[in-house]
Amino acid sequence: MIIGIIGAMNEEIQPFLKLFDTHEKIEFGKNVYYRISYNNTEIYLAYSKIGKVHAAITASSMILQFKCEKIIFSGVAGGLQGLKVGDLLLATKLCQHDVDISAFGHPLGFIPESQVFIESDSSLNAIAKEVAKDSGIHLYEGVVASGDQFIHSIEKKQWILKHFNAIAVEMEGASVAVACDCLGVPFCILRSISDSADGEADVSFDEFLESSAKISAQFVKKMIDKIIK
């Protein structure tokens, strides 16, 4: 089996490089991928860079170039609906909150020949729930909204809640969902909350980025152990 793990930032994949300390660096498409051999399984790890375009390129490269059969995104997000720093969440569905062709009568987030929401893989999600149960962790579930904006205002936060009923906001997950959905590869999006997407988001994000990324990485490592068991 070949598994791909993506983070958006270097800080989000550094915990994995410590968990899997033996790896080979491969350069492709102006990015670096880390090939890891683990219990008769190949793992490809990369940070995509921030934003939907880079995340989609990285997910597509993992599938088309490195033949990954499952994709897991691990990283941090801004919490909505009362989520706190360090909380773990599982994206059951993902949407793009910054897509707007409503001038043509379409709902916000809709792209013709696609849909507003893309569902993540139920089998991988079930494994995530098993890990949470085994670890005594409360795993939140719900819609995650992605867009090429760092959300740090209460007004924008409320707008996303109103239109998409999301529990978290970030900048990559939905584009990974689109790439995996188009290419027929199951995916799972795990996020650990680093801020509350409000007026203090920039401060708390910097403070809790590394600790939140570590929480998510440790969780994903346990998922991989179950996947290849």
Side-chain angles (χ1 to χ4, degrees):
M1 182 179 295
I2 307 175
I3 300 172
I5 302 174
I6 304 173
M9 296 173 287
N10 186 45
E11 290 88 347
E12 291 174 325
I13 70 162
Q14 283 302 314
F16 287 105
L17 293 176
K18 292 177 181 177
L19 290 170
F20 305 104
D21 57 357
T22 301
H23 51 264
E24 171 192 1
K25 292 174 69 173
I26 301 170
E27 293 187 10
F28 179 78
K30 294 187 177 181
N31 204 356
V32 175
Y33 294 80
Y34 298 89
R35 181 182 179 275
I36 299 161
S37 294
Y38 177 69
N39 288 352
N40 299 315
T41 299
E42 280 188 33
I43 297 172
Y44 285 89
L45 170 70
Y47 71 95
S48 58
K49 306 180 189 71
I50 292 169
K52 293 191 298 178
V53 171
H54 286 102
I57 291 170
T58 300
S60 299
S61 296
M62 283 189 164
I63 296 166
L64 298 173
Q65 177 70 16
F66 300 114
K67 311 303 179 186
C68 291
E69 301 164 85
K70 301 180 190 296
I71 298 290
I72 301 174
F73 195 104
S74 171
V76 299
L80 309 176
Q81 302 193 36
L83 269 67
K84 299 178 177 61
V85 170
D87 285 344
L88 270 175
L89 67 95
L90 176 67
T92 54
K93 296 190 293 186
L94 297 106
C95 63
Q96 300 181 66
H97 68 74
D98 59 349
V99 169
D100 183 357
I101 53 171
S102 58
F104 299 98
H106 296 298
L108 291 169
F110 178 78
I111 294 175
E113 299 182 36
S114 185
Q115 60 262 10
V116 175
F117 298 99
I118 295 180
E119 294 185 2
S120 51
D121 182 67
S122 59
S123 296
L124 287 174
N125 289 350
I127 291 171
K129 293 174 190 178
E130 286 180 25
V131 169
K133 183 178 179 181
D134 293 345
S135 305
I137 294 172
H138 181 75
L139 184 63
Y140 293 84
E141 300 177 52
V143 175
V144 170
S146 306
D148 285 322
Q149 306 161 1
F150 181 78
I151 304 303
H152 59 101
S153 78
I154 293 175
E155 292 77 16
K156 188 65 175 182
K157 174 180 176 178
Q158 292 302 320
W159 184 90
I160 293 169
L161 278 168
K162 175 183 176 181
H163 291 287
F164 300 101
N165 194 30
I167 65 168
V169 63
E170 34 89 303
M171 299 177 68
E172 298 84 23
S175 59
V176 172
V178 170
C180 290
D181 182 62
C182 289
L183 297 171
V185 171
F187 70 94
C188 179
I189 309 291
L190 267 298
R191 292 286 192 173
S192 180
I193 299 301
S194 60
D195 62 84
S196 298
D198 55 17
E200 303 296 324
D202 53 343
V203 176
S204 59
F205 179 84
D206 288 338
E207 183 178 354
F208 296 110
L209 170 60
E210 290 187 16
S211 60
S212 295
K214 185 176 180 180
I215 290 169
S216 185
Q218 290 170 338
F219 190 93
V220 171
K221 167 65 164 51
K222 292 178 181 178
M223 281 187 65
I224 289 172
D225 287 335
K226 278 190 176 290
I227 291 169
I228 65 179
K229 187 175 180 180

